[in-house]
Amino acid sequence: MSPSTLRQSTCALLALGLVTTATAGPCDLYDAAGYPCVAAHSTTRALYSAYSGPLYQVQRTDGTTTDIAPLSAGGVANASTQDSFCAGTTCVISIIYDQSSRGNHLTRAPPGSAGSGPAPGGYDNLADATAAPVYLNGHKVYGVKVAPGTGYRNNDAKGTATGNAAEGMYAVLDGTHYNGGCCFDYGNAETNSVDTGAGHMEAIYFGNCNVWGTGQGSGPWIMGDLENGLFSGQNAKYNGGDPAINYRFVTAVVKGDSSNLWAIRGGNAASGSLSTYYSGPRPSGYYPMKKEGAIILGIGGDNSHGAQGTFYEGVMTTGYPSDAVEDKVQADVVAAGYATSS
């Protein structure tokens, strides 16, 4: 085959998505910059270039389960495994595996001080495994569609920030699926599912709840859930720099330093770069922080479970990641090719 023909054939295969090259995933980028991932959750793809383990587990109504892994190391989820396993029945997402070495898997959330969930024993519901289909570079995958009453948690997480230690986190979410309930969160929370006071949480919030802080317009907004309040900046009520989000796929970033500094960033997960919506001092009464290190998804720290939203991927890191490494992660997210059709 001549070099010209070889180049043409390779380009054709690339166009069909049949040839892939190993590229750094989000956690490879964080690790290389000195901010290692201590939790990496996704039902859509591997977040390390070498990761080939399970992404999540689905459970049928008869109680049987199977794990869903990437098509290849560093690749997208093998949705056909789920489709075959769940054909003719109903499946829920029973475990969202942590791809980091910490083993911080997310499972059904237990009851909390805000109330019990609707499932037996006061636990929260699990997400319908087929309710949030999307495509990554043409491959069908499934997100985690959280309805009110649904929630995931790990109250015994390892390596996450505690006290006033620095941390970063990002999540890719559905920018059109939200409500004003409390609280569609992903991040750091109390280890006993009880509201233990201001500063005991640091999590990404997405929605248009306006009971505490707000941003521009009527939302939805990316804010920080720092416990006993959702904050869009230093002001407890309003930050004009925090815009209402109108993207189908949104990248949300919250990070907090050990100094009196925290930030909110965001952008379109399908194109473009991140913008900084707030960077500065913490709200009054929230420094020093008293983080406890549990991990939540879809609920508040006290198991408030009135919110809704859809989660595709997210990580938590040690340290206070630079804007530069977050920009590289955003570029990786965009390259993943989130779309609503193939």
Side-chain angles (χ1 to χ4, degrees):
M1 181 180 293
S2 70
S4 176
T5 304
L6 178 60
R7 285 194 298 270
Q8 292 172 1
S9 298
T10 302
C11 288
L13 290 170
L14 284 167
L16 292 171
L18 299 177
V19 172
T20 59
T21 55
T23 58
C27 285
D28 300 311
L29 296 168
Y30 279 120
D31 288 2
Y35 312 104
C37 291
V38 293
H41 302 109
S42 178
T43 57
T44 62
R45 64 173 182 142
L47 301 177
Y48 293 87
S49 61
Y51 186 79
S52 58
L55 302 176
Y56 63 105
Q57 180 189 86
V58 291
Q59 177 178 310
R60 294 193 296 215
T61 51
D62 63 6
T64 57
T65 62
T66 195
D67 289 340
I68 310 301
L71 286 166
S72 59
V76 301
N78 189 350
S80 62
T81 301
Q82 174 179 315
D83 290 340
S84 298
F85 182 76
C86 299
T89 186
T90 299
C91 279
V92 292
I93 297 173
S94 43
I95 302 174
I96 305 170
Y97 291 109
D98 177 17
Q99 299 176 34
S100 83
S101 61
R102 303 286 184 163
N104 291 327
H105 312 313
L106 298 177
T107 57
R108 187 194 300 266
S113 59
S116 298
Y123 279 70
D124 291 349
N125 288 334
L126 296 170
D128 182 338
T130 61
V134 292
Y135 293 84
L136 267 61
N137 284 324
H139 297 277
K140 185 174 75 170
V141 294
Y142 292 99
V144 184
K145 188 171 186 177
V146 171
T150 301
Y152 293 83
R153 194 175 195 120
N154 185 329
N155 277 346
D156 190 29
K158 304 296 191 297
T160 48
T162 58
N164 197 45
E167 67 179 345
M169 62 195 77
Y170 88 88
V172 176
L173 311 169
D174 182 341
T176 65
H177 183 216
Y178 60 90
N179 67 4
C182 179
C183 292
F184 183 70
D185 289 350
Y186 173 71
N188 192 319
E190 294 94 340
T191 55
N192 59 0
S193 305
V194 173
D195 179 350
T196 49
H200 285 252
M201 287 182 62
E202 188 166 65
I204 294 166
Y205 166 80
F206 184 73
N208 66 342
C209 179
N210 59 9
V211 175
W212 297 283
T214 63
Q216 294 178 11
S218 57
W221 309 283
I222 301 166
M223 295 194 286
D225 190 340
L226 308 182
E227 191 53 282
N228 293 342
L230 301 174
F231 296 91
S232 57
Q234 183 180 22
N235 189 315
K237 286 297 182 182
Y238 177 71
N239 169 27
D242 195 8
I245 299 297
N246 60 4
Y247 309 126
R248 172 58 176 84
F249 298 99
V250 57
T251 305
V253 175
V254 167
K255 55 184 176 180
D257 201 358
S258 56
S259 65
N260 189 15
L261 174 68
W262 75 297
I264 303 170
R265 307 186 76 209
N268 185 343
S271 66
S273 58
L274 294 176
S275 298
T276 299
Y277 302 152
Y278 176 78
S279 179
R282 294 185 181 277
S284 176
Y286 285 83
Y287 179 76
M289 294 288 283
K290 307 173 184 66
K291 291 172 269 193
E292 298 189 26
I295 305 173
I296 54 173
L297 172 61
I299 52 175
D302 56 3
N303 197 44
S304 299
H305 51 72
Q308 65 184 30
T310 300
F311 173 90
Y312 302 111
E313 64 179 76
V315 314
M316 298 170 63
T317 76
T318 59
Y320 189 79
S322 66
D323 288 0
V325 69
E326 290 167 349
D327 293 343
K328 291 180 180 179
V329 170
Q330 166 68 359
D332 179 85
V333 169
V334 171
Y338 277 95
T340 56
S341 68
S342 61

